[in-house]
Each structure stands twice: as structure tokens, then as C-alpha cells.
Amino acid sequence: MPASQTHVTSATAMGSTLVDGGCVFRVWAPRADAVHVLGDFNLWQQSDASLLVKNASGHWMGFFPGAHEGQTYKYWVKGPGSMGFKRDPYARELEGTAWNCVIRDPKAYPWHDSDFRPPAFEDLIIYQFHVGSYYAVDGEGNDARLGRRGRFLDVLERVEYLAELGVTAVQPLPIVEFLTRFSQGYNGTDYFSPEFSYGLDDRELERYLATANRLLSSRGRSHLKREHLQGAANQLRVVVDILHVYGIAVLLDVVYNHAGGDFGDESLFFIDRLAYGNNNDSLYFTNEGWAGGLVFAYWNDGVRQFLIDNAKFFLDEFHVDGFRYDEVSVIDRFGGWHLCQTLTQTLRFAVPSTIQIAEFWNPNKEFAVKQPSAGGGGFDLVWDDRLRDAVRGALAQAAGGRDAPFSWLGVATALGSAPGFDYPWRTVAMLENHDLLLNSHSDADKKPRIPFAADPSNPRSWYARSRARVAAGLLMTGPGVPLLFMGQEFLEDKYWDDSSDTENLLIWWDGLSIDRAMSDYLRFMRELIALRRERDAVRRGQINVFYAWDPTRVLAYHRWIENSGKDIVIVASLSEVTHYGYRLGFPRPGRWIECFNSDVYDNWTNPIAAGNGGSIIAHNGATHGLPAHADIVIPANGMLVFSFAP
């Protein structure tokens, strides 16, 4: 007799589902001749009782009494072209010895985040990092990344740091299983399983349990037990949970344009075991390649459902707050626009607060955020490179020296609201990201980190430090949601790498206690981020770039919310000299508080900082298209922020 059909219905979930007395399994393999489930619960012995029953839609299902949490299993598939083991495409976790699937109860983890709500779109400040290369120390506090990479639980040691920095969301690079030893994460193969090499085994948990409970205790939350940290999946849950407790949202980077690289014989590639040869016969994929892997078969309803299920799985079982969708332009190119529309609408219906960000490199990128009814993708925000490229261009010109040609045109244009967008926060702006800075990319495909862009001869010079502060100021006070890449907040000047074999490419955390320039810059970034969070006009206000004068390298723009009185004026200079008595237009006469001055942060507190003594008085008299004016001091390579004092 085949496997029992007790507890099996048309609504049975994909993968493994624990029920009273055992576990139900369901897998989609429409062209297979037979599918068995072999595991710890039947001693990995194939028999009539291990054979699943196939329904009319090509799904194989069955109930296995006695199967329980923590046991491992695989499918054994006989198809027209081969026979052998296959991993469950919906497996919640894999163990790292034989890549067996693990039965897990998704309801076992005791969440502490019931009162957490993700930030509004315009309140997002995103921090991008790679779990393996970001941070890890041993029990004595020594850097442990070299040779063993960071793990999910190592992120716990940076939670307080990230909260103090002021970011409102983190965006780890993709965290699902990949077959290679090291990876950025964009060659995943097992989409429901967190990468097991980012997990720790039971022998190493004690120190991390103490850290988790210290963090929870400091916010008045109950303690976790050791069993709550067992397995990579629960370790990811712990990180999400505690980040939420500290007010930080979690956005997963997901790759729905392709899977692989290398698939191996036991992956979802040719899941129903047709003969290898024509990748169009692989069920989940086409013969079209991208980034070393294969593009998904978007025409297939079952494939589209798999990807939608995957996103909803992370919302439901890991409490993530949203997604950055990798290379949506590739999905569109290969016929997946309907998937995008269905995906975004399904998640918005399921969890209305879900944050959905598209990487969409298309001249008409506003279509990513238009509603599907208007032909759009239905995403909330879209990556935008306009400010990135413009600021880097201005830095390159400034680095040419005092007498080099210089123009603010690109920056002024990028700061203006992009045509076609209904709100300025629809775009995600950045100066650095994982793609730009990956060491293994060709010279043509990578760009220097901002300190090197600011001064290629010396990334710790005054020129590098001061110009980097101006660049960060433009990012944080401009329109769009700002994104920082790991280390950017403390003047990291090296490329990064996903391998833990290259010490000189690891983020240099020790520099914060050794290098004064780094610690001063971190203070600058914390207070700049605080300024953004405190000033409504900076986050959601309108913008008017009213002054851009290339000969003096001075730029000024006004941000405001109608009828609020909360006007902000930002002044940026990439001049190598301080300007005194510099007349600029202001939106209204009266007292304006100098609420931020980047020059103060050089050799904190800078004893020779140039500024305006805390405030200025604007007088009636139209200047630069505004009704008032003031004569101000603008520090060399500096940024000032003025707020109106009613």
C-alpha cells in the first residue's frame, strides 16, 4: 500500500507539514513515474509505504506516522531519464553533512516582536551587508571571520551598534542555500532553506544564547532557551526577532530572475528526472542563462506559485518586513512581468505593510512602482543610480584640484524629483552597494569606495574626509530612501569580498578604536542620520534646488512641507576654500538655526571649524528666486543645514 492519505487534502501545503501523529509531505513532480519519501522515520528504507500518491495536478502526497521535528528526509524520484534522491524544493532547513532536508515546526519559536511595525516608506534608512563577511568575533573578542565566515548569530553583536547608528532597516545579501563554498548569495538553489553554513551547531550556542538574552533583557523581553537557537532557520529567526525588538526592520534580498550556478543532481533542477540535455525540460527553468545560472520558467503556473510561496513563506515564518527583488529587469526581459504583478499584489493583500523594492534597470523605471492596473509592476520603491553617478562624478572633478573643471549640473538634476514618480521617496538612492564594490568584479564593473573617489591619492586625507562628508550629506538630505553599504558609515576604503580567505578585504572594525578619521566619521554619520530622522521636511518634503554655482562649487536646495513652517535649507560646497559673507537666497526672512555643520566632525570637535555661530538672520530681498537672503560662512568641502526658527 502507498503512503497513507490521512491528513492529506487538496489544501495540503507544499513540503513537509507536521500534523497530529506525524508529518504530511507534498512535492510537485508532474512527469515523475514514482516519488518516495525516505528519512529517519522509516530508516531510509524504500517500500510500498514510502511511495507518495500522485494527484491530477502532478503533486505527490502522503502522511507518515511518527515523523517528527528534527528528523531528516529526502525524496527518491524515479523519472523517464534517471532515478535518485532529490531535496524538497520547499525544505525549511538543510543539514550540512549530507544536505538532507530537516522537518521543522515553524510555530516553535517564541517571538518577541508583536508590537513591532515596519517604518513608513519615507522613513526607511537601509543598511546593506553580507552575513559571511560582515562581523564575527570569538569568545576572546578576536576577529573570527578569517577562515570561517560570519554566521547569522554573529549579527546579534551588531544590533546595538546598528540601533545607535540610526538605520531603520537592514538588507542582508541573499541568505538562502548555495552550493559553493563562498557566495554573495546570488547563486541560490534551495529557496526555502537559510544557508546552513551561516548556522552554528549546538556546541557553539552558549555564548550566543547569553548575547541574545542580554539584548532581550535590556528591552524587557523574556529569555530564549537553548533549543530556540538550534538550526540555521531558528538562528535567522532570532536575529530578525531581536532586530525588531530594537526597532529595525529586515528586508531580504531575493533572486527570482534565476537560480544556480551549480545545481547538483539532488536540487530542484530536473526535479521529476527527465533526461538531462534540454534545460527547457527541467520544469522550473528555461534554457536561458543569467549570471551563471538559469532563468525561471515564468510561463509555468507552478513555477510562478513557487516564487510567490517563497516570498510569503519568509513573511509568515520569519517575520521579515519586505524584499529587495534582484534584477527585476531580467525577470521582465524573459517574460516574467505578470509574475511581478501577481507577486506584489499577493503580498500586499497578505501583509499590507510589506516593503517591496525592485532593482529595475530600465529607462522607464517608474513603471516598476506603478500599479498593475496601469501596466506597472506594483512595487513600492525602485533602485536609482542617478544621485550615485552624479555625486561620484562631482567627487572625481573635485579631486582634480582647485582649478579643475567642475559642474553641479548632474547633482542638481539628480536631486530634483525624478519624472514619473508620484512621491520622491519612491527611489532608493545610494553611493555604494555590493555590486559596485565587489573585489572580484572586473575593473570596468566596480567603482572605488567613496574615500578613494574623494581623494585617489590618500583616502584618509582631509580632502577625502571632507568630500566624503559632503557626499553623505547629499545622500541623507536628498529625496529618495538612502541605502548604506557595510562600512560606509565609518569611512571604509577597501573593496569587499564574499570569501573569508582574504583578510585585507574584510571590514576593518578595529579601525574604530585605532583610526581617528574612522571614529570621527562614524559620529558624523550617526548625527547626520539623526538629523534625517528628526526633520520631516528632509524625509518627505518637496525639494527645490535653487542655487548651483560652478565657479565657487556651491550648491543649495530648499526642502519643505506645505503650511508646516518646517523649512530646511541645505548648502553644500566642494570648494577647497572657505567662503565668507556668501550671499544666498532663503525661503523667508527671520532667524535660521544652523542645525548641522559637517566641518565640526573633522578631528572632533574641530577647534577651527568654520561656521555661523549656531544661527543666521535672513533679510527681506529676493535672491536666487527666493524672497529673502542671508550672508553666510560656508566651510571648505562642507555641508550646512539650516532650519527655520518661527
Side-chain angles (χ1 to χ4, degrees):
M1 291 286 292
S4 168
Q5 296 301 289
T6 304
H7 299 289
V8 173
T9 71
S10 60
T12 294
M14 300 294 290
S16 62
T17 304
L18 287 167
V19 295
D20 288 343
C23 189
V24 177
F25 295 88
R26 181 172 185 169
V27 63
W28 180 48
R31 298 165 299 186
D33 298 320
V35 177
H36 294 258
V37 180
L38 306 183
D40 300 335
F41 41 83
N42 58 12
L43 302 179
W44 296 84
Q45 297 298 308
Q46 187 178 139
S47 67
D48 288 346
S50 66
L51 177 64
L52 298 176
V53 175
K54 183 180 180 181
N55 69 12
S57 60
H59 292 95
W60 298 78
M61 295 181 282
F63 169 68
F64 287 72
H68 59 76
E69 159 79 22
Q71 289 188 314
T72 63
Y73 70 97
K74 280 179 182 171
Y75 298 120
W76 192 92
V77 180
K78 180 179 183 299
S82 66
M83 64 182 71
F85 282 116
K86 283 289 185 180
R87 297 189 298 277
D88 186 348
Y90 282 75
R92 288 183 168 89
E93 190 170 328
L94 301 181
E95 56 84 26
T97 304
W99 287 64
N100 291 330
C101 308
V102 184
I103 299 172
R104 289 298 188 199
D105 179 1
K107 300 176 182 177
Y109 180 79
W111 291 92
H112 301 78
D113 65 349
S114 60
D115 60 347
F116 177 77
R117 299 295 179 271
F121 300 128
E122 60 266 37
D123 295 336
L124 285 167
I125 302 169
I126 302 171
Y127 188 92
Q128 186 188 43
F129 69 96
H130 178 263
V131 171
S133 59
Y134 182 49
Y135 184 86
V137 295
D138 61 23
E140 285 71 48
N142 300 311
D143 197 322
R145 289 172 294 172
L146 193 62
R148 83 116 159 117
R149 84 177 70 195
R151 312 296 174 88
F152 290 130
L153 292 178
D154 288 314
V155 177
L156 294 179
E157 293 287 355
R158 296 289 86 183
V159 169
E160 292 164 307
Y161 168 87
L162 291 166
E164 291 170 5
L165 179 60
V167 297
T168 60
V170 296
Q171 182 189 296
L173 271 64
I175 51 81
V176 300
E177 289 288 0
F178 48 81
L179 291 187
T180 51
R181 183 181 172 214
F182 301 113
S183 174
Q184 292 184 71
Y186 294 94
N187 59 336
T189 55
D190 296 79
Y191 271 50
F192 290 73
S193 305
E195 169 58 37
F196 63 69
S197 71
Y198 289 161
L200 291 159
D201 64 35
D202 291 356
R203 297 168 297 175
E204 303 176 87
L205 292 183
E206 210 60 46
R207 175 166 61 94
Y208 294 94
L209 177 61
T211 299
N213 285 334
R214 176 182 62 79
L215 292 167
L216 289 168
S217 292
S218 71
R219 295 299 172 97
R221 308 302 170 96
S222 59
H223 279 196
L224 293 167
K225 298 178 181 178
R226 187 185 183 90
E227 57 263 32
H228 298 142
L229 273 66
Q230 291 176 332
N234 265 358
Q235 290 167 24
L236 177 58
R237 288 185 179 96
V238 171
V239 173
V240 175
D241 191 21
I242 293 179
L243 283 164
H244 283 173
V245 169
Y246 279 74
I248 300 172
V250 178
L251 310 177
L252 289 190
D253 194 339
V254 292
V255 187
Y256 294 161
N257 55 74
H258 78 283
D262 184 19
F263 286 100
D265 184 60
E266 295 187 358
S267 73
L268 78 173
F269 186 50
F270 283 89
I271 183 72
D272 42 11
R273 289 199 172 275
L274 265 69
Y276 289 120
N278 181 356
N279 289 338
N280 286 316
D281 288 336
S282 63
L283 188 63
Y284 279 93
F285 304 102
T286 69
N287 65 350
E288 299 286 354
W290 182 257
L294 292 175
V295 174
F296 283 101
Y298 302 117
W299 59 268
N300 193 315
D301 290 345
V303 173
R304 294 199 305 272
Q305 191 61 54
F306 169 79
L307 297 172
I308 293 169
D309 287 348
N310 182 247
K312 194 169 183 304
F313 165 80
F314 281 107
L315 290 177
D316 294 343
E317 298 195 8
F318 289 85
H319 290 202
V320 304
D321 304 289
F323 304 95
R324 179 261 189 191
Y325 298 97
D326 181 65
E327 283 285 13
V328 169
S329 38
V330 174
I331 299 175
D332 179 35
R333 186 184 311 166
F334 291 107
W337 197 244
H338 178 59
L339 164 70
C340 297
Q341 295 173 321
T342 306
L343 171 65
T344 56
Q345 296 303 93
T346 300
L347 299 190
R348 188 165 292 114
F349 176 81
V351 184
S353 63
T354 302
I355 298 161
Q356 303 192 74
I357 303 171
E359 182 192 15
F360 186 59
W361 303 119
N362 185 295
N364 301 311
K365 58 168 56 80
E366 68 273 10
F367 272 93
V369 299
K370 289 186 181 297
Q371 290 301 306
S373 59
F379 300 96
D380 300 307
L381 304 98
V382 61
W383 270 30
D384 188 12
D385 57 3
R386 293 176 308 124
L387 186 64
R388 180 194 78 192
D389 293 346
V391 169
R392 284 178 169 272
L395 289 177
Q397 290 178 321
R402 182 186 60 187
D403 300 322
F406 182 87
S407 173
W408 280 118
L409 178 61
V411 174
T413 302
L415 286 171
S417 295
F421 290 100
D422 52 357
Y423 298 105
W425 49 257
R426 288 291 192 186
T427 61
V428 176
M430 67 208 72
L431 303 177
E432 299 183 344
N433 64 47
H434 69 289
D435 264 338
L436 281 184
L437 306 175
L438 184 65
N439 184 64
S440 59
H441 279 173
S442 69
D443 289 343
D445 291 333
K446 63 186 177 186
K447 303 292 183 184
R449 296 204 76 151
I450 290 299
F452 261 115
D455 184 358
S457 68
N458 181 0
R460 286 295 180 269
S461 71
W462 171 79
Y463 297 101
R465 301 192 307 266
S466 57
R467 290 170 185 152
R469 289 192 293 267
V470 173
L474 293 168
L475 175 67
M476 284 294 166
T477 61
V481 166
L483 178 143
L484 300 173
F485 185 68
M486 58 181 184
Q488 183 180 346
E489 74 277 15
F490 54 73
L491 217 63
E492 178 61 78
D493 57 16
K494 304 187 300 296
Y495 291 117
W496 80 282
D497 196 85
D498 52 13
S499 167
S500 63
D501 293 337
T502 314
E503 184 174 11
N504 65 348
L505 295 177
L506 296 174
I507 302 302
W508 191 38
W509 292 103
D510 288 346
L512 288 172
S513 59
I514 297 170
D515 187 334
R516 174 72 178 273
M518 294 177 73
S519 58
D520 284 349
Y521 196 85
L522 177 59
R523 179 187 291 271
F524 159 76
M525 286 301 299
R526 284 174 174 165
E527 298 191 12
L528 179 62
I529 289 170
L531 172 85
R532 180 179 179 87
R533 293 186 64 168
E534 292 164 2
R535 307 285 172 171
D536 288 347
V538 175
R539 298 193 313 282
R540 55 178 64 93
Q542 299 182 59
I543 187 167
N544 171 31
V545 182
F546 63 86
Y547 185 82
W549 188 239
D550 297 338
T552 57
R553 300 186 179 181
V554 173
L555 175 84
Y557 47 103
H558 173 208
R559 303 214 62 182
W560 76 99
I561 296 173
E562 290 290 351
N563 303 316
S564 72
K566 297 179 179 180
D567 292 58
I568 297 288
V569 170
I570 298 103
V571 182
S573 170
L574 283 174
S575 170
E576 294 180 12
V577 298
T578 295
H579 298 297
Y580 295 92
Y582 200 100
R583 180 158 293 188
L584 277 179
F586 273 78
R588 63 180 71 187
R591 184 167 177 259
W592 289 77
I593 304 299
E594 186 183 52
C595 56
F596 198 85
N597 180 345
S598 67
D599 202 32
V600 171
Y601 298 90
D602 203 64
N603 296 312
W604 170 269
T605 307
N606 187 354
I608 56 171
N612 297 276
S615 66
I616 55 100
I617 301 296
H619 303 280
N620 281 314
T623 306
H624 306 138
L626 297 176
H629 67 270
D631 297 335
I632 66 173
V633 176
I634 306 174
N637 287 340
M639 189 201 74
L640 304 172
V641 179
F642 296 96
S643 63
F644 183 67

